[in-house]
């Protein structure tokens, strides 16, 4: 079965950095869009970033543009989210997800597989 496992979450102060990892099995990144979403308690799941290797494209949500960077190592089936200049409003559970190639990158409903999430907490 397809499995996505996030790691790297934790506690950071505002202005600090964290790097999240998503280890994938059962799929190849070049056949999927790999994305990061986040969800804070009581709020909707929010698009953070995505990478579509087959198209050579990366995408970012407006709230993280210029601060976060998505990347991958295809040979290792791993996708990363480097989070810089963290803000308290970045506090959320961060999810790794995969969408079949051709699906919309910014909509959670378009993704086919999801990890369990990793908690990121940013203090003020």
């Amino acid at each position: 079965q397809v499995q996505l496992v996030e790691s790297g979450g934790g506690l950071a102060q505002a202005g600090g950095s964290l790097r999240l990892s998503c280890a994938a099995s059962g799929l190849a990144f070049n056949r999927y869009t790999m994305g990061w979403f986040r969800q804070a308690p009581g709020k909707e799941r929010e698009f953070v970033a995505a990478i579509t290797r087959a198209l050579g494209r990366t995408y970012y949500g407006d709230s993280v543009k210029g601060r976060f960077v998505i990347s991958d190592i295809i040979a290792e089936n791993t996708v990363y989210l480097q989070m810089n200049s963290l803000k308290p409003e970045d506090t959320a559970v961060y999810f790794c997800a995969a969408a079949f190639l051709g699906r919309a990158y910014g909509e959670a409903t378009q993704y086919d597989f999801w990890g369990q999430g990793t908690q990121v907490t940013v203090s003020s």
Side-chain angles (χ1 to χ4, degrees):
Q1 291 182 332
V2 172
Q3 187 174 52
L4 306 176
V5 181
E6 304 95 335
S7 62
L11 178 65
Q13 291 188 332
S17 298
L18 287 172
R19 191 187 194 195
L20 306 183
S21 299
C22 173
S25 61
L27 59 81
F29 286 169
N30 63 353
R31 295 184 176 91
Y32 291 84
T33 295
M34 302 300 300
W36 287 97
F37 289 77
R38 66 188 184 186
Q39 189 165 23
K43 296 185 178 180
E44 295 182 347
R45 192 161 294 190
E46 177 188 13
F47 171 70
V48 176
I51 182 167
T52 301
R53 181 56 60 196
L55 300 178
R57 304 282 190 178
T58 57
Y59 313 91
Y60 296 94
D62 290 340
S63 63
V64 305
K65 195 171 299 181
R67 299 189 297 121
F68 292 8
V69 179
I70 188 170
S71 62
D72 60 29
I73 300 177
I74 295 175
E76 298 180 357
N77 270 0
T78 304
V79 63
Y80 302 95
L81 184 69
Q82 178 67 45
M83 305 185 294
N84 301 312
S85 302
L86 285 164
K87 304 175 181 179
E89 51 263 44
D90 294 320
T91 295
V93 176
Y94 283 70
F95 297 91
C96 178
F100 291 123
L101 197 62
R103 307 287 293 276
Y105 65 85
E107 297 291 336
T109 56
Q110 297 297 301
Y111 283 74
D112 302 284
F113 307 105
W114 293 84
Q116 295 298 306
T118 184
Q119 177 70 47
V120 171
T121 302
V122 183
S123 62
S124 60

